Amino acid sequence: MEKVLKASHFNKYFTEPDRFQVLKDVTFEVNKGEFLAIVGKSGCGKSTLLYLLSTMDTEYEGTLEINGQTLTGRSQDYLSKFRNEHLGFVFQFHFLLPEFTTLQNVMLPALKLGRYSEKEVEHRAYEKLKMIGMEDHARKLSSKLSGGQQQRVAIARALINDPTIVMGDEPTGNLDKTNTGIVFDIFREIAQENHQTIIAVTHDPDFAAGCDRVIEMSDGMIISSHENQI
Amino acid sequence: MNLSITTQIAKTHLLSKKRQTLVAMLGVTFGIAMFITMISFMQGVNQFLEDSALDASPHVRMYNEVNTQRPALIDQLNRSDSAFNVIYHQKPKEQLSRLKNGFLIARRIEQEPGVLGVSPQLSTQAFYNNGPIQISGTIAGVDIDRENRLYNLKSRLKSGTIEALRSNPNGLIMGNVLARKLNVREGDKVSVTTPTGGTMILRVVGTFGFGIGTVDNTKSYANLSTVQEILQKDASYVTDIHIKMFDPLLALPLGKKLRAMYGYYTEDWATANSAILAGEKIRNVMTFVVSMTLLVVAGFGIYNIMNMNVINKIKDIAILKATGFEGKDIVLIFLLQAVFIGVLGGLLGLLIGFILSYLLSITPFNAGDFLSIKTFPVIFDPKYYGMGLLFGLITTVLAGYFPSRKASKVDPVSILRG
Ligand SMILES: Nc1ncnc2c1ncn2[C@@H]1O[C@H](COP(=O)(O)OP(=O)(O)O)[C@@H](O)[C@H]1O
Ligand SMILES: [Mg+2]
């Protein structure tokens, strides 16, 4: 199996208010096209780990390798470009740009990437919105959407550049049963058909149960990793 | 470079808070408008004063300075360290302010390169009498054609002609304010008395106005021979040589050269008008200080607003960085906003500045007899407008740059962690 992400010996400390170790020698690998769930009690360090994997947090010990590239020690600009092209995020709290329309929010990372013309980008953004059932709200200001709707738009945005890895910090945390189902199905589908990798932190046992593999964390350490039999 | 996408984001940010944008813009507008108005007006005043003063004064004036502080004869002859001489009530020696060989010198100066014209003349103080009215002033005996060449007298005449003076040995062309005070007109007679006691009745054949109080109030032109006659001097007696150059700046070295050559005092226009030139400098400094202050205040306004803007948008910045926007994209997004504010505010400022200066230039202004203007002097020079826009842009870019940099340094993790 092709490895798409390698995290080796991650150690991370917070110095405020007191120095304490959030992550303790976290090491794991993720396969291409894998749908991975990270679970664990609140405060065990899941979000912190995800921010390291996302390349946004660069203060850690250990090495991170994605798509065969070592990302530890790279410049901020390099990492920005890398994120833009290879990574997609869904944050724990739905984060959209409030002054932009739904469609514009989805289009922005693609316009930044500049791989497609603006027309094509718009077309692709529409496709993604359709996928999550938000195409009717395309022209609405994103601040006028409900929490759940914003979360779905954020997912469409994460997918716009067809990233190698999609990371989600409780991506269904604010969604009802139906919407959770929709999001899960989308993740499932892109993992299977596009061989994109999904890494999702979740509290939802049903969500975790549907993934290919579940990593369980406790107190900054990985305590178990098991594949689900489907 | 992602100029189009950053521009689009900058535009959206600006439009989403129109009031803030407008306030920041109006700061720049006000600063630039004041700058334009002030500099146009001040430079107008400078130009006007300079023109009227320089037009009426020679570029170089050569004269013989009468030095009354002569050493006592006995001091020169009987000098010793062990004794001293006591002299009571020493009278100044009678000295003539004549320029020896004045005409010859004038002819020679005419040969110098760069000289537009030379006018040897005889200038003296005089009392003008018309019935009971007695006013003191000066009278200059000139070759009127030469003088005309130097000062373009024809265009300054308010009445009469130059030819009338040439053809009338007892003619007088009088400053228009002086004539008004004396209550005389073209054709009237006045009696002129010099300090040495000579008196002559002269006929006013014309009046002139330079637009400068100190000239129009006091001065008259007569034929050189007439004044020589009143003073009872010979036909070669002149006291001053006025020189005009093609390039006023060349007057300074020429003055020095002539002084060394002929041994007479020379005074150039810059020295003679140093008060005006000093006033000019002060006005320039004032204009820049006031305008810069306004622009700096506007700059701080923009700095503040942009800073607030960055703080308000900190979540957006974090998202943009998370989704792949680089530091320089973020700088550009905010800098573009500042530039937009600067350009639009600046252009509006130029327009308002132009309107204000125009209104000023048509505002009636009565300077009395002192200056011959009817409205405020204002210069409309595209250079000032370019400068205004440039200053406005520099201010806004500087004021916008630091908040923009701060924005680009935002750590997305600390914001997004929530
Ligand atoms: N910026 C921070 N400074 C100090 N401690 C932090 C910071 N962010 C998180 N923590 C602590 O690190 C631990 C892990 O947090 P987090 O990764 O958010 O947990 P979770 O698994 O719930 O996502 C928690 O104890 C939290 O209080
Ligand atoms: Mg968390």
Side-chain angles (χ1 to χ4, degrees):
Chain A
M1 231 356 177
E2 192 185 339
K3 302 292 177 206
V4 79
L5 183 145
K6 285 184 190 171
S8 329
H9 306 291
F10 274 0
N11 284 302
K12 164 116 185 136
Y13 303 87
F14 279 126
T15 48
E16 283 180 27
D18 303 309
R19 185 180 162 88
F20 88 106
Q21 192 168 0
V22 209
L23 297 179
K24 297 163 189 163
D25 198 40
V26 172
T27 301
F28 67 102
E29 294 181 341
V30 185
N31 293 326
K32 189 172 170 61
E34 192 173 20
F35 188 175
L36 176 74
I38 301 175
V39 297
K41 291 211 176 64
S42 185
C44 70
K46 305 181 296 293
S47 295
T48 307
L49 175 63
L50 208 63
Y51 283 122
L52 295 197
L53 299 180
S54 78
T55 75
M56 280 191 276
D57 191 348
T58 50
E59 283 173 11
Y60 58 89
E61 293 166 6
T63 51
L64 172 66
E65 202 180 285
I66 296 178
N67 249 357
Q69 287 188 51
T70 305
L71 295 174
T72 309
R74 295 283 193 176
S75 77
Q76 287 296 337
D77 279 355
Y78 182 91
L79 293 176
S80 288
K81 283 207 187 84
F82 186 86
R83 282 202 290 277
N84 187 235
E85 198 173 346
H86 298 289
L87 303 180
F89 297 100
V90 184
F91 303 106
Q92 186 165 6
F93 308 100
H94 38 87
F95 283 113
L96 298 178
L97 303 180
E99 288 113 353
F100 291 82
T101 63
T102 302
L103 187 66
Q104 283 173 321
N105 264 287
V106 178
M107 285 169 70
L108 274 177
L111 291 175
K112 164 65 192 165
L113 183 63
R115 192 189 287 155
Y116 301 104
S117 75
E118 195 168 336
K119 267 231 119 53
E120 284 170 291
V121 168
E122 192 175 326
H123 177 72
R124 289 169 58 83
Y126 252 112
E127 295 287 292
K128 304 289 177 198
L129 283 176
K130 239 177 241 162
M131 208 160 87
I132 53 153
M134 286 293 296
E135 76 270 27
D136 292 342
H137 302 282
R139 302 285 168 190
K140 249 192 206 168
L141 274 189
S142 67
S143 54
K144 299 276 192 290
L145 300 178
S146 74
Q149 287 173 324
Q150 291 196 27
Q151 190 73 316
R152 280 148 69 192
V153 175
I155 291 168
R157 182 182 61 192
L159 298 178
I160 188 71
N161 284 345
D162 294 332
T164 321
I165 306 178
V166 178
M167 299 181 187
D169 195 350
E170 305 191 21
T172 57
N174 289 301
L175 302 183
D176 57 22
K177 201 103 188 112
T178 332
N179 279 316
T180 303
I182 294 173
V183 170
F184 182 85
D185 289 343
I186 291 167
F187 281 168
R188 188 75 266 173
E189 187 186 320
I190 62 171
Q192 220 134 50
E193 294 181 6
N194 303 353
H195 298 289
Q196 286 170 282
T197 307
I198 317 288
I199 303 175
V201 168
T202 184
H203 273 131
D204 183 345
D206 291 342
F207 191 97
C211 296
D212 296 333
R213 187 157 63 110
V214 179
I215 286 179
E216 194 180 350
M217 285 181 69
S218 174
D219 236 352
M221 286 182 288
I222 294 180
I223 52 168
S224 81
S225 165
H226 62 270
E227 313 220 343
N228 284 327
Q229 314 312 119
I230 307 169
Chain B
M1 207 43 168
N2 295 279
L3 204 59
S4 81
I5 176 73
T6 44
T7 312
Q8 197 184 327
I9 295 173
K11 204 171 79 191
T12 310
H13 279 182
L14 281 174
L15 290 179
S16 70
K17 43 175 179 53
K18 296 193 185 72
R19 257 171 68 141
Q20 257 186 47
T21 309
L22 202 69
V23 168
M25 239 173 63
L26 287 183
V28 184
T29 302
F30 185 64
I32 305 273
M34 280 319 282
F35 170 76
I36 293 293
T37 314
M38 276 199 66
I39 198 162
S40 303
F41 179 43
M42 289 300 168
Q43 296 301 321
V45 172
N46 283 350
Q47 185 79 54
F48 175 79
L49 287 181
E50 198 177 312
D51 280 356
S52 43
L54 288 190
D55 279 3
S57 65
H59 287 157
V60 182
R61 180 169 83 96
M62 181 186 272
Y63 61 102
N64 189 6
E65 184 150 283
V66 176
N67 190 356
T68 52
Q69 283 182 316
R70 72 188 159 103
L73 259 182
I74 190 162
D75 275 337
Q76 285 175 311
L77 293 174
N78 188 9
R79 234 191 161 138
S80 99
D81 291 335
S82 57
F84 60 90
N85 308 302
V86 180
I87 305 139
Y88 294 106
H89 308 307
Q90 177 180 246
K91 288 238 161 52
K93 186 174 139 198
E94 154 117 48
Q95 255 191 346
L96 289 178
S97 46
R98 104 180 288 157
L99 294 173
K100 281 185 192 130
N101 295 323
F103 289 108
L104 184 65
I105 294 174
R107 259 203 307 284
R108 288 245 197 97
I109 294 173
E110 253 170 355
Q111 312 297 321
E112 295 279 344
V115 172
L116 170 74
V118 182
S119 172
Q121 50 193 273
L122 170 50
S123 179
T124 179
Q125 292 178 321
F127 277 110
Y128 296 97
N129 292 305
N130 180 25
I133 314 170
Q134 189 176 51
I135 295 175
S136 75
T138 60
I139 184 166
V142 297
D143 175 339
I144 196 66
D145 290 324
R146 283 170 173 273
E147 193 74 2
N148 178 36
R149 185 167 162 70
L150 259 64
Y151 300 113
N152 201 5
L153 275 181
K154 263 187 189 148
S155 70
R156 321 261 182 202
L157 286 182
K158 303 288 176 202
S159 65
T161 59
I162 282 182
E163 288 69 30
L165 182 68
R166 210 187 297 134
S167 58
N168 185 349
N170 289 338
L172 189 68
I173 296 182
M174 187 174 270
N176 58 347
V177 183
L178 178 60
R180 199 170 67 225
K181 283 185 184 165
L182 282 167
N183 198 19
V184 294
R185 244 166 256 200
E186 190 188 346
D188 292 347
K189 286 180 179 169
V190 286
S191 113
V192 177
T193 312
T194 64
T196 51
T199 298
M200 195 177 249
I201 308 260
L202 299 177
R203 187 184 293 278
V204 177
V205 297
T207 56
F208 67 84
F210 274 105
I212 304 171
T214 48
V215 177
D216 299 343
N217 252 332
T218 55
K219 191 167 178 177
S220 299
Y221 287 110
N223 286 308
L224 180 55
S225 54
T226 315
V227 182
Q228 285 166 340
E229 198 184 326
I230 312 177
L231 289 172
Q232 294 169 348
K233 302 291 183 196
D234 58 273
S236 68
Y237 186 85
V238 289
T239 56
D240 292 80
I241 296 177
H242 286 191
I243 306 162
K244 275 271 189 191
M245 314 282 297
F246 288 106
D247 177 4
L249 288 180
L250 290 181
L252 311 169
L254 182 76
K256 284 204 187 79
K257 183 175 153 194
L258 294 180
R259 184 177 192 153
M261 219 144 113
Y262 300 108
Y264 288 122
Y265 282 88
T266 55
E267 185 187 60
D268 55 56
W269 56 269
T271 319
N273 295 300
S274 48
I276 285 178
L277 294 177
E280 202 163 289
K281 270 195 200 116
I282 290 168
R283 274 187 296 275
N284 283 344
V285 169
M286 215 168 75
T287 305
F288 276 91
V289 166
V290 172
S291 311
M292 287 302 131
T293 312
L294 288 172
L295 280 177
V296 167
V297 170
F300 273 109
I302 291 177
Y303 176 81
N304 254 333
I305 285 174
M306 289 304 294
N307 240 340
M308 254 166 54
N309 194 2
V310 167
I311 291 168
N312 287 338
K313 289 274 180 292
I314 205 151
K315 262 190 175 177
D316 295 31
I317 297 166
I319 297 166
L320 287 172
K321 289 190 111 175
T323 53
F325 283 79
E326 293 149 59
K328 59 174 187 278
D329 295 326
I330 308 289
V331 169
L332 214 59
I333 287 172
F334 286 92
L335 206 54
L336 277 172
Q337 299 184 41
V339 168
F340 179 83
I341 288 172
V343 169
L344 220 67
L347 286 177
L348 193 64
L350 294 187
L351 183 70
I352 293 179
F354 175 77
I355 293 173
L356 283 181
S357 354
Y358 175 72
L359 289 180
L360 202 58
S361 76
I362 56 167
T363 305
F365 170 65
N366 185 5
D369 288 333
F370 187 62
L371 293 171
S372 69
I373 39 175
K374 294 177 184 63
T375 59
F376 286 104
V378 175
I379 287 185
F380 296 93
D381 188 342
K383 195 173 71 191
Y384 304 145
Y385 293 77
M387 258 157 74
L389 198 58
L390 191 70
F391 286 151
L393 259 182
I394 291 174
T395 320
T396 38
V397 167
L398 273 183
Y401 178 69
F402 295 100
S404 306
R405 251 180 73 92
K406 197 171 100 182
S408 76
K409 295 247 150 57
V410 163
D411 173 22
V413 184
S414 63
I415 308 297
L416 296 179
R417 222 189 314 250

